[in-house]
Amino acid sequence: MSTDKHDSIYATQRPREDFVFDEKVAAVFTDMISRSVPGYATIISMIGVLANRYCSKGSNLYDLGCSLGGATFAMAHHIEHKDYQLFAVDNSAAMMSRLKKSVDSSEETYPIVLSQADISDIEIRDASVVVLNFTLQFIDPAQREALMRKIYLGMRPGGILILSEKIRLADDDLNALLIDMYHQFKEAQGYSKLEISQKRSALENVLIPETLAAHKSRLLNAGFRSVDSWFQCFNFASMIAFK
Ligand code: GEK
């Protein structure tokens, strides 16, 4: 990881603008995501463990929406051989230039290929492990089905997709409760009420959460033979789908 700067982007009152993954966000992203996603460290380290288990020799791995490479490095550190190619893809120039610096300055050389691209445009082939760690939520809902189908078709039988998402609960009361609990978690992480509410409003049109049921049904429709969640904390969950 290339930075550990403190995230204070929304600490003072600012005009409402949609959230973007620009240089300002990239500079504080490690701190931002670890204080904003409950269980982030656990999910990242389990992605490494799962990648080691399911990465087959000669296959490709994909970290789609890799940001600064949290999941990319977890996979590279855990996989016990180097007979694979790990494609780390993100369309944010700010994220990718920081990730390139981390990869270039890493003490060990890993088979990581960086690609600044929209994940809807790239080709997925011969994949044993595909990771979407809190990325699908930023993709236009109308494009999500085609993306899942493309991922499924590009995977080896026996491969896994790890899909982590902020989720919505079908029951409005339960949904409101989990959002409240999440906001208390953020306060405990040092974010003020102003920061929480300004960030929430900036993400409103940008991050579109769906229910676990909607995710599971889309994955099954795409062809995956088995889907379930392995982690949930408040309104954040991580699922595994088997091809
Ligand atoms: C982690 N996975 O640390 N194509 C490519 N990248 C995209 C697209 C797109 N269409 N849309 C958004 N992104 C990471 C964390 S962050 C999650 C992922 C968060 C990228 C975007 O640029 C950003 O870097 C990432 O998806 C989402 O494990 O900030 O909540």
Side-chain angles (χ1 to χ4, degrees):
M1 290 279 178
S2 56
T3 181
D4 56 1
K5 273 203 231 139
H6 186 75
D7 167 27
S8 54
I9 292 179
Y10 293 99
T12 50
Q13 188 82 45
R14 48 183 282 182
R16 199 214 155 278
E17 272 169 20
D18 279 350
F19 186 84
V20 282
F21 291 97
D22 58 10
E23 182 51 41
K24 260 195 284 174
V25 168
V28 299
F29 188 74
T30 303
D31 178 64
M32 172 185 284
I33 195 148
S34 41
R35 289 198 292 133
S36 303
V37 173
Y40 179 74
T42 305
I43 294 170
I44 287 292
S45 89
M46 283 314 297
I47 287 174
V49 171
L50 289 164
N52 183 43
R53 183 165 175 146
Y54 288 97
C55 170
S56 47
K57 292 247 166 104
S59 68
N60 294 325
L61 285 75
Y62 292 85
D63 183 7
L64 304 178
C66 57
S67 302
L68 299 181
T72 302
F73 282 113
M75 292 193 274
H77 292 152
H78 275 85
I79 299 171
E80 286 156 10
H81 59 84
K82 287 194 176 164
D83 186 8
Y84 63 87
Q85 286 224 293
L86 200 177
F87 294 90
V89 184
D90 203 294
N91 64 356
S92 157
M95 294 290 188
M96 289 312 280
S97 76
R98 280 168 186 271
L99 176 55
K100 184 173 185 322
K101 282 189 198 135
S102 307
V103 170
D104 290 347
S105 62
S106 160
E107 276 173 22
E108 214 178 316
T109 344
Y110 296 109
I112 296 175
V113 182
L114 302 184
S115 165
Q116 188 192 326
D118 191 307
I119 60 171
S120 299
D121 297 336
I122 62 155
E123 188 194 358
I124 307 278
R125 60 192 151 73
D126 210 15
S128 59
V129 178
V130 178
V131 172
L132 277 163
N133 201 37
F134 302 104
T135 302
L136 188 66
Q137 58 197 18
F138 294 107
I139 303 293
D140 177 354
Q143 289 182 22
R144 294 180 187 180
E145 196 174 324
L147 177 59
M148 288 303 138
R149 183 71 185 153
K150 174 176 83 172
I151 291 172
Y152 174 80
L153 291 173
M155 283 173 60
R156 286 186 177 183
I160 59 161
L161 166 68
I162 303 166
L163 173 63
S164 313
E165 288 276 291
K166 186 173 193 175
I167 54 162
R168 185 173 65 74
L169 280 284
D171 179 273
D172 287 345
D173 293 337
L174 207 45
N175 195 48
L177 173 64
L178 292 203
I179 290 173
D180 255 21
M181 290 166 80
Y182 171 54
H183 289 165
Q184 283 180 17
F185 161 86
K186 284 197 79 169
E187 279 193 60
Q189 297 298 310
Y191 284 115
S192 67
K193 286 192 164 46
L194 177 68
E195 284 178 293
I196 295 168
S197 84
Q198 293 199 110
K199 174 88 178 279
R200 186 183 188 185
S201 137
L203 282 172
E204 210 159 35
N205 307 318
V206 178
L207 190 169
I208 317 286
E210 294 177 283
T211 61
L212 276 176
H215 284 297
K216 287 177 187 171
S217 120
R218 181 186 296 117
L219 289 165
L220 292 171
N221 282 340
F224 288 95
R225 71 176 162 81
S226 180
V227 182
D228 222 321
S229 42
W230 67 272
F231 177 92
Q232 186 177 340
C233 183
F234 315 131
N235 49 340
F236 289 79
S238 188
M239 291 155 268
I240 291 179
F242 282 109
K243 176 157 181 176

